[in-house]
Structure formats: structure tokens, C-alpha cells
Amino acid sequence: MIDRLLRNYRIKNRIAIGFVLLVIFSSIINSYISYHTNKDSLYNNIDKFLRNTALITKVYLPIEFHDRALDKKSISTQEDYKNILNLSRLVENLNISYVYTMVQIENEIYFTSSSATTNEIKDNNLTRYFDKYDEASDTLSNLLKNNKIKYEETTDKWGTFRSVLIPMITPKGNKYIVGADIQIDFIQDELGEYINNIILTQLIIVSILMMLGFYFVRISRIELNEIRVLSNSLNEEIREKTNELENLNNKLEHKIKQEVKKNRDKDRQLVEQS
């Protein structure tokens, strides 16, 4: 009986430990999947937002702008500055980093318009019409050839951004590029906040499991003590029964010896009488 109780006790402990490990493992796997699902969803939403912003950008420029923006002297400084202010207001309202347009001439990339930050406008540190973009990526350089929307993460003198680049064509057949940037820090902050939520959730789960573990250990100790008490009680009872049996055997042996002696005495008397 005691062996059966101890065996059941060990089985329950193994099941409990296995359950805790399974919950922790499942929680880690679920957190990993959830993080990457959320990351993909975040990037999809940001890319959609960047694309819509870039498409809005051309509305803030004159309709025929890129039919006129063919060389360095085509757009006046006054018109360029007006475009900068218009695009900067768009950026400020949508809370992104930059919007801009570009053209490609003989494999070189030139800005035709660009927004600016408040400090850049204040310091007159502006990207002006037909400024050459020396840090153009291969994706940007080949964009008009491939004629496909591209998303990329790049670093240049303005910072590190997630960007959308959209090839466009004017009614007169002139090609240009419209783009929108958002700082990677924003994406990292969003993912960091989600990671913190995951960590907090894991800590709560681990805390609950620890409390349940302490409770189970306490119950297990009580159960083990009860088994030990029962085992000691049974052992004591066995000792008492063994002693009783030994006493009974001794008495029986003594009585047998007495009876044997009596029989021998009777036989001797009979022999003497005969």
C-alpha cells in the first residue's frame, strides 16, 4: 500500500513538473510567434501609410510640375521654397519624417522637391530643387528601370529611415520618383513597447506558476508526511503483531512441551503399572 502511495506521489510530481514546463515552453513559443506576427503587421501598416502619404505628395505640387522640372533652371527659387513649405506642412500634419520627389538624369539622382524639418527651415538648411543625391541606393537608382514600388531601410546624412519609393509618370510621359520616409526609431519604439508587454505577460505567467508551484510543493510535503506517518504507523502495527505472534508461539511451544511431558509421565506410569 505504501509503495503504491509513493508511486502515485512520484507520478503526480512528474505530471506537475511536466505541466509547468509545457506551459512555459508554450508561452515562449506563443510570444515568439506573436512578436513576429505583430512586427509583420506593424511593417505592413507603416508601409501602407508611407505609400498613401507618398501618393498624396504629388497633390501638394503643381499638376504640371514634373513636366516643367526638366533641368536646373526650370523651377525658380521662389516656387521651390513654396513647395518646401507645402510639403513640410504635410509632413507635420501626418507626423512622418520626409516626403520628396526626384528625377534621374544620366544615372544621377536629383531632388525636385523635398519637405524640411522646423529646424532645417529655421537654419535655412534645406534640400533645394535639383540638389544631387549622392547617397542613392541601388534600389533607388534602378527604380525607374524596374518600374515597381519599393520599400527599403536606408541610412544617409539625414538619419536611418524606412522608406517607400514610387515610380511615377506625368501626362506628357516624364518619369520621376516620389518618396516618403519614417524614422526607424519610431518603429523600434513601437516594437520595444510590444516586447515590454510580452515580458510583462511572461513575468505574470511565471509568477502565477511559481505560486502554484509553491502551493503544490506544500501540498506534496503534507501528503508525503502523511504517507510517512502512515508508513510508521503500519510498521509499528507490524512490530506489535510480530511481537504478539512471537509471544503466542512461545506460549504454544511451552504448552506443547508441557503436554509432551505429561504424556511421557503417563506412559511411564502405565509401563510401571503393567
Side-chain angles (χ1 to χ4, degrees):
M1 178 180 177
I2 298 299
D3 290 340
R4 180 164 57 83
L5 290 175
L6 288 173
R7 185 168 59 253
N8 292 339
Y9 171 79
R10 294 190 189 100
I11 291 174
K12 286 192 292 184
N13 279 350
R14 289 171 184 171
I15 291 174
I17 293 172
F19 175 76
V20 170
L21 293 177
L22 178 62
V23 170
I24 293 175
F25 178 75
S26 300
S27 180
I28 292 173
I29 294 297
N30 181 69
S31 297
Y32 177 82
I33 295 174
S34 178
Y35 168 76
H36 283 279
T37 301
N38 184 76
K39 180 180 179 181
D40 292 340
S41 176
L42 177 62
Y43 269 88
N44 287 335
N45 290 334
I46 287 175
D47 288 348
K48 183 178 179 181
F49 174 66
L50 287 172
R51 179 177 178 274
N52 291 337
T53 302
L55 292 176
I56 293 173
T57 299
K58 65 179 184 177
V59 179
Y60 281 72
L61 298 173
I63 296 177
E64 79 292 350
F65 180 74
H66 281 96
D67 285 324
R68 293 187 291 111
L70 302 177
D71 56 57
K72 190 175 181 64
K73 298 180 180 180
S74 298
I75 304 299
S76 67
T77 303
Q78 292 77 10
E79 182 178 3
D80 178 41
Y81 188 71
K82 181 180 178 181
N83 290 337
I84 290 173
L85 295 181
N86 286 337
L87 295 182
S88 298
R89 280 193 292 270
L90 172 63
V91 165
E92 185 178 358
N93 291 333
L94 295 180
N95 194 28
I96 63 172
S97 300
Y98 291 99
V99 293
Y100 44 86
T101 58
M102 299 172 168
V103 293
Q104 187 173 16
I105 299 176
E106 296 179 353
N107 295 324
E108 298 291 348
I109 302 296
Y110 298 89
F111 285 99
T112 51
S113 66
S114 176
S115 64
T117 66
T118 302
N119 288 333
E120 287 171 343
I121 294 174
K122 180 180 178 181
D123 297 337
N124 197 31
N125 183 22
L126 306 175
T127 299
R128 304 305 299 252
Y129 172 75
F130 240 77
D131 281 351
K132 184 178 177 181
Y133 185 31
D134 294 323
E135 300 177 79
S137 64
D138 292 337
T139 299
L140 178 57
S141 299
N142 296 319
L143 187 67
L144 294 178
K145 296 179 183 179
N146 298 328
N147 199 34
K148 292 182 179 179
I149 296 177
K150 295 294 183 180
Y151 298 94
E152 65 176 0
E153 293 181 5
T154 57
T155 300
D156 54 25
K157 64 182 180 180
W158 290 282
T160 301
F161 304 97
R162 175 75 174 176
S163 306
V164 62
L165 301 168
I166 305 176
M168 305 291 289
I169 187 167
T170 69
K172 292 184 179 181
N174 293 314
K175 294 181 179 181
Y176 66 101
I177 299 165
V178 61
D181 298 343
I182 190 169
Q183 286 188 333
I184 290 296
D185 290 344
F186 169 78
I187 301 175
Q188 298 301 327
D189 289 343
E190 291 291 323
L191 290 176
E193 183 178 353
Y194 186 74
I195 291 174
N196 290 335
N197 291 334
I198 290 178
I199 293 174
L200 179 61
T201 301
Q202 293 301 316
L203 288 176
I204 293 174
I205 292 175
V206 171
S207 298
I208 292 174
L209 288 177
M210 288 180 63
M211 288 188 291
L212 291 175
F214 287 141
Y215 177 76
F216 180 79
V217 168
R218 183 178 179 185
I219 296 299
S220 297
R221 287 179 178 176
I222 293 174
E223 184 177 359
L224 183 60
N225 289 334
E226 291 178 350
I227 293 175
R228 288 174 178 172
V229 170
L230 179 60
S231 177
N232 293 334
S233 176
L234 289 175
N235 290 333
E236 183 64 27
E237 185 175 354
I238 289 172
R239 283 196 296 271
E240 291 178 358
K241 295 299 182 181
T242 300
N243 291 335
E244 290 179 1
L245 185 59
E246 289 177 353
N247 292 333
L248 182 60
N249 287 334
N250 291 334
K251 289 180 181 179
L252 183 59
E253 184 179 357
H254 180 69
K255 187 173 183 180
I256 290 173
K257 287 181 180 180
Q258 288 181 339
E259 291 298 324
V260 169
K261 183 179 179 183
K262 286 181 181 180
N263 290 333
R264 286 179 179 176
D265 291 340
K266 287 181 180 181
D267 289 341
R268 190 175 57 255
Q269 289 178 359
L270 290 173
V271 171
E272 288 177 355
Q273 289 178 357
S274 68

